[in-house]
Amino acid sequence: MITMKEVYKRYPNGVVAANGIDIQIDQGEFVYVVGASGAGKSTFIKMMYREEKPTSGQIIVNGVDITKLKNSKVPLFRRNIGVVFQDFKLLPKLTVYENIAFALEVIEESPRVTKKKVMEVLELVNLKHKARMFPNELSGGEQQRVSIARSIVNSPLVVIADEPTGNLDPDTSWEIMRIFEEINARGTTVIMATHNKEIVNTKKHRVIAIENGLIVRDEQRGDYGYEN
Ligand code: ADP
Ligand code: ADP
């Protein structure tokens, strides 16, 4: 479902963050992306949802070369991709419910269907009882659960997460992982950049290791492989 061919990314300041990446990720896979800070993990991930464009190379997502996508077509393309960030990126003036419904309002879903879908994803992340609260009334783990609910409310084919447990304590991180496992069990591809050695070595999945903008290791049921 995601293929990169000979992908290079050079930022305007001259830093080369992707230095010839070739990869294929199939529908339904769970993939960890590991590597030191500055290795190029975020760049790799951002190129998958057209947050960054590569300098050269092909990136095919669901049959479409997204490097050739017009800017006007990017929002439509992104509906099939859920994104989760380390710092949640919830809208502070909207309630939990509204933060999630927002993703459906932009596609002009009916109020009835919106309510049904929002309640379904709130159920999945176990936060139905906090639908009326605002983000700053929630713990970090709860805010991340809202952000995950938002990422899946459009039923995307893939959820991409950039260090989703980076700001959370160990117990909360495991709870967040349980939700990603559940999402993956329902058939959604999950791609997650992480520094969480414990999680990677315990919940075994494919591991892609990046160093200096290159994939240096790609193993099914791999290990974290760094000392942190
Ligand atoms: P990681 O996620 O593994 O920490 P990044 O993809 O964020 O790695 O960064 C890879 C390299 O690209 C780093 O040297 C970083 O400083 C650089 N970089 C990232 N984003 C930008 C940017 N917008 N402009 C210039 N350099 C950047
Ligand atoms: P955690 O143990 O996950 O860090 P907290 O101790 O931050 O969680 O919060 C415990 C509970 O109290 C959570 O359910 C959270 O929603 C609620 N809570 C925390 N801060 C506030 C607040 N400012 N207003 C209302 N509820 C809050």
Side-chain angles (χ1 to χ4, degrees), residues 125-163:
V125 300
N126 207 1
L127 278 178
K128 257 174 133 168
H129 56 299
K130 302 216 165 162
R132 289 187 179 81
M133 289 198 167
F134 289 90
N136 69 3
E137 297 176 310
L138 304 178
S139 70
E142 289 170 329
Q143 289 183 60
Q144 192 58 297
R145 277 147 63 195
V146 175
S147 133
I148 295 170
R150 176 184 61 185
S151 80
I152 58 169
V153 74
N154 269 325
S155 305
L157 296 168
V158 54
V159 173
I160 296 173
D162 199 347
E163 297 196 35

Side-chain angles (χ1 to χ4, degrees), residues 27-162:
Q27 183 63 44
E29 281 198 88
F30 195 125
V31 182
Y32 295 117
V33 180
V34 305
S37 282
K41 303 181 296 298
S42 293
T43 302
F44 176 62
I45 277 182
K46 283 176 180 169
M47 290 191 297
M48 292 177 186
Y49 61 98
R50 251 296 284 268
E51 181 68 21
E52 291 289 351
K53 257 183 168 178
T55 312
S56 64
Q58 272 189 322
I59 302 177
I60 295 152
V61 180
N62 300 323
V64 176
D65 185 349
I66 62 166
T67 65
K68 298 203 169 77
L69 210 59
K70 284 192 187 136
N71 286 339
S72 61
K73 301 273 189 215
V74 169
L76 183 67
F77 157 71
R78 285 203 187 135
R79 277 182 214 167
N80 270 318
I81 300 187
V83 186
V84 175
F85 305 94
Q86 180 172 2
D87 59 356
F88 325 133
K89 297 201 193 299
L90 299 173
L91 296 166
K93 297 209 161 99
L94 300 185
T95 65
V96 164
Y97 183 96
E98 290 162 348
N99 263 281
I100 301 168
F102 191 70
L104 294 168
E105 276 157 16
V106 297
I107 65 169
E108 295 179 357
E109 192 61 271
S110 73
R112 190 181 60 84
V113 175
T114 296
K115 182 161 189 212
K116 181 168 169 285
K117 288 188 174 176
V118 173
M119 285 321 211
E120 270 170 18
V121 291
L122 276 175
E123 174 98 61
L124 176 72
V125 300
N126 207 1
L127 278 178
K128 257 174 133 168
H129 56 299
K130 302 216 165 162
R132 289 187 179 81
M133 289 198 167
F134 289 90
N136 69 3
E137 297 176 310
L138 304 178
S139 70
E142 289 170 329
Q143 289 183 60
Q144 192 58 297
R145 277 147 63 195
V146 175
S147 133
I148 295 170
R150 176 184 61 185
S151 80
I152 58 169
V153 74
N154 269 325
S155 305
L157 296 168
V158 54
V159 173
I160 296 173
D162 199 347

